[in-house]
Amino acid sequence: MLMHQKIIRQSLLVLYLLISYDGVQGKTMLSKLEDLELEEQLKLLNKPSIKTIKSKYGDIYNCVDFYKQPTFDHPLLKNHNFHPQMKPTLARPKQNSSTSETSWSSRIWSKDGDCPFGTVPIKIITKEDLVRQRNMPPPEDVIIDTELTNTINNTSDSKGRYISSQAYKLAIVRTLKNQNNKFGGAGMATSLYNPHVEGQQHSACRLKIQKGSDILQVGWRVDPTLYRDSKTRLFIHFQAGNKHCFNVLCPGFVLVNNEIPIDMAFDKISRRGERRTWEFRMFIDRDLVNGNWWPLLAKTYVKIGFWPQKIFTSLASFANNIEWGGVAYSPPGVPKPPMGSSFFPIAQSNYDAYCRGLSVLNDKGATIDVDETTIYVDDPKLYQVLDYPHAAPGKFQHWVFYGGPGESHQL
């Protein structure tokens, strides 16, 4: 019986890949009207370039004048006073820069160098990209039936349920549910892995900030549908009401950094069991003065851009929910992909995917420890989470280990 089920599963996967191949590869036959619509979309996304540059991974970017970037096509951003030297007002302590501009450039770009000041790097989008991205799934839609309280031994109340729709699977830790929470941001350091995905599957680690239907995310993901390859890449995502968008594929995120692209590939990836673990720090902070939301990178809080306050409703003020951890997706009928290190966590940092140094900002912008959290795993047979709010003495020693093989071991 088990062998029979395995053969059926493999046959369904092969059939799915054959059916979806053209769409994923960008070879779907288009009607004349669809083709014209894509051409118009390309004109909106691919703005005139001052310079064209190439990353070390072969990605080609246009250096677009700051004031002509696609985000200013947003109807709420037509009349703005933004400029390329914008910096957020934060309460975070200033850090001495250990990562110079030169080192960022040498890690990301080929001999062409980065974009000139006053411009921003935006990846050139092709018609094939747009066709492939039509297969992007809708955003997560989750229902929390019962609050699950984290305990020291990492057990959870089996009566609570965290239901993911649209074929998403999560292994996360989140702040305790309280509508009166007022968070001005959050942060983490996350280990970098490259779980194997195929077709329209994707696997990611993210920091997620939310209030109501407004959502902000920053993290890494492996996503052939979004990126046309299977590299581990940086991503940002926002949802404002019914509208959602990755990176700068639609108006909403204002780029200010002329050097670091928001979809860059990470050049160092962790290998399970190796002594050295590669990680990256990520934050999302609310500007204390104007309420804009800034994703920040690395120890020095490198600024790549911001989501303007005016595009949000619920997140025009503070967030009330923060999440850290992994998410995996596969279309219905397709086996779930691996997450994190592709193995169940065992609470060892050189074997597990992790998020560590978890922190949140209060409504005054002060950084505080995250002491009380809740575990959510909607399919513990595929993925698991281990949560240690005080893994070591001192402040900001909150570690979360997550991951799992998904259904890849059954293929």
Side-chain angles (χ1 to χ4, degrees):
M1 178 64 71
L2 290 176
M3 181 61 69
H4 181 65
Q5 290 177 345
K6 183 176 180 180
I7 292 172
I8 292 175
R9 185 184 297 277
Q10 289 176 326
S11 300
L12 287 173
L13 177 59
V14 171
L15 179 61
Y16 160 76
L17 292 174
L18 287 173
I19 293 173
S20 65
Y21 175 79
D22 282 350
V24 173
Q25 299 300 321
K27 297 179 181 179
T28 299
M29 297 299 293
L30 301 173
S31 68
K32 289 184 178 180
L33 179 59
E34 289 174 322
D35 193 68
L36 287 173
E37 290 175 349
L38 290 181
E39 291 290 349
E40 289 300 315
Q41 191 175 354
L42 285 174
K43 290 179 182 178
L44 292 174
L45 290 172
N46 292 323
K47 299 296 186 180
S49 175
I50 293 174
K51 178 183 177 183
T52 299
I53 57 178
K54 182 183 289 189
S55 76
K56 288 189 172 182
Y57 287 102
D59 303 314
I60 301 175
Y61 291 79
N62 281 333
C63 297
V64 177
D65 185 291
F66 171 85
Y67 296 100
K68 295 180 180 178
Q69 59 181 294
T71 198
F72 294 135
D73 292 331
H74 194 294
L76 296 178
L77 303 179
K78 292 287 188 182
N79 300 311
H80 66 87
N81 58 356
F82 305 142
H83 57 85
Q85 291 180 300
M86 288 186 67
K87 296 180 180 180
T89 301
L90 307 174
R92 290 189 182 276
K94 292 183 178 180
Q95 301 283 342
N96 293 326
S97 178
S98 59
T99 305
S100 68
E101 294 294 313
T102 302
S103 63
W104 276 109
S105 182
S106 63
R107 287 168 55 186
I108 298 172
W109 303 111
S110 65
K111 60 183 179 181
D112 300 321
D114 51 24
C115 286
F117 177 77
T119 69
V120 291
I122 299 178
K123 186 185 290 183
I124 295 176
I125 301 296
T126 66
K127 188 180 297 184
E128 288 74 19
D129 292 332
L130 295 181
V131 172
R132 188 183 64 254
Q133 288 163 8
R134 286 186 171 192
N135 291 314
M136 290 289 292
E140 299 165 40
D141 183 17
V142 296
I143 302 170
I144 302 169
D145 283 356
T146 305
E147 189 69 35
L148 305 183
T149 304
N150 174 47
T151 59
I152 293 298
N153 62 2
N154 300 296
T155 60
S156 56
D157 183 354
S158 60
K159 293 184 292 185
R161 293 190 302 160
Y162 187 87
I163 305 170
S164 303
S165 69
Q166 312 295 353
Y168 288 90
K169 295 296 180 183
L170 287 84
I172 62 168
V173 163
R174 56 158 283 175
T175 53
L176 298 183
K177 188 177 180 181
N178 185 342
Q179 295 300 317
N180 296 319
N181 286 339
K182 289 186 177 180
F183 299 125
M188 68 175 181
T190 173
S191 56
L192 301 172
Y193 278 90
N194 185 253
H196 178 76
V197 300
E198 295 180 357
Q200 292 171 263
Q201 297 174 330
H202 72 247
S203 189
C205 174
R206 87 306 177 68
L207 163 64
K208 179 179 178 180
I209 289 181
Q210 181 176 9
K211 184 176 183 181
S213 59
D214 288 353
I215 295 170
L216 303 175
Q217 297 185 86
V218 62
W220 61 259
R221 69 195 287 118
V222 183
D223 191 340
T225 307
L226 178 60
Y227 291 123
R228 90 174 74 132
D229 62 33
S230 296
K231 296 181 177 67
T232 303
R233 291 181 178 270
L234 179 69
F235 85 94
I236 61 170
H237 175 268
F238 82 93
Q239 183 172 334
N242 294 324
K243 182 177 183 178
H244 84 107
C245 188
F246 285 94
N247 303 331
V248 289
L249 291 177
C250 65
F253 186 79
V254 180
L255 289 165
V256 299
N257 194 304
N258 64 304
E259 184 179 30
I260 303 175
I262 58 173
D263 48 10
M264 70 175 184
F266 290 101
D267 56 346
K268 304 291 187 182
I269 302 297
S270 301
R271 309 292 178 189
R272 187 174 189 268
E274 291 187 356
R275 181 176 299 179
R276 177 70 182 268
T277 299
W278 297 98
E279 64 174 32
F280 199 74
R281 293 179 185 267
M282 305 177 184
F283 310 85
I284 300 177
D285 282 16
R286 184 177 185 270
D287 192 303
L288 295 175
V289 174
N290 53 40
N292 297 334
W293 292 91
W294 291 73
L296 308 170
L297 305 178
K299 293 181 179 180
T300 53
Y301 312 127
V302 176
K303 303 152 190 69
I304 56 174
F306 61 93
W307 292 284
Q309 180 196 43
K310 62 178 65 176
I311 72 171
F312 298 106
T313 301
S314 298
L315 281 178
S317 59
F318 297 96
N320 60 15
N321 179 56
I322 313 289
E323 295 178 7
W324 301 263
V327 57
Y329 171 86
S330 63
V334 176
K336 303 299 182 292
M339 180 192 294
S341 70
S342 305
F343 289 82
F344 291 123
I346 58 175
Q348 292 190 30
S349 60
N350 61 329
Y351 280 83
D352 298 339
Y354 62 77
C355 304
R356 70 171 186 86
L358 273 54
S359 64
V360 299
L361 304 183
N362 63 17
D363 57 351
K364 302 295 190 298
T367 306
I368 57 177
D369 252 324
V370 186
D371 290 319
E372 294 185 308
T373 45
T374 296
I375 290 175
Y376 291 116
V377 182
D378 50 10
D379 197 335
K381 293 180 180 179
L382 305 182
Y383 313 106
Q384 294 177 9
V385 169
L386 303 176
D387 189 19
Y388 296 92
H390 301 283
K395 297 190 68 177
F396 310 116
Q397 296 297 321
H398 194 149
W399 285 69
V400 173
F401 303 95
Y402 73 94
E407 295 174 310
S408 60
H409 63 291
Q410 299 180 21
L411 295 178

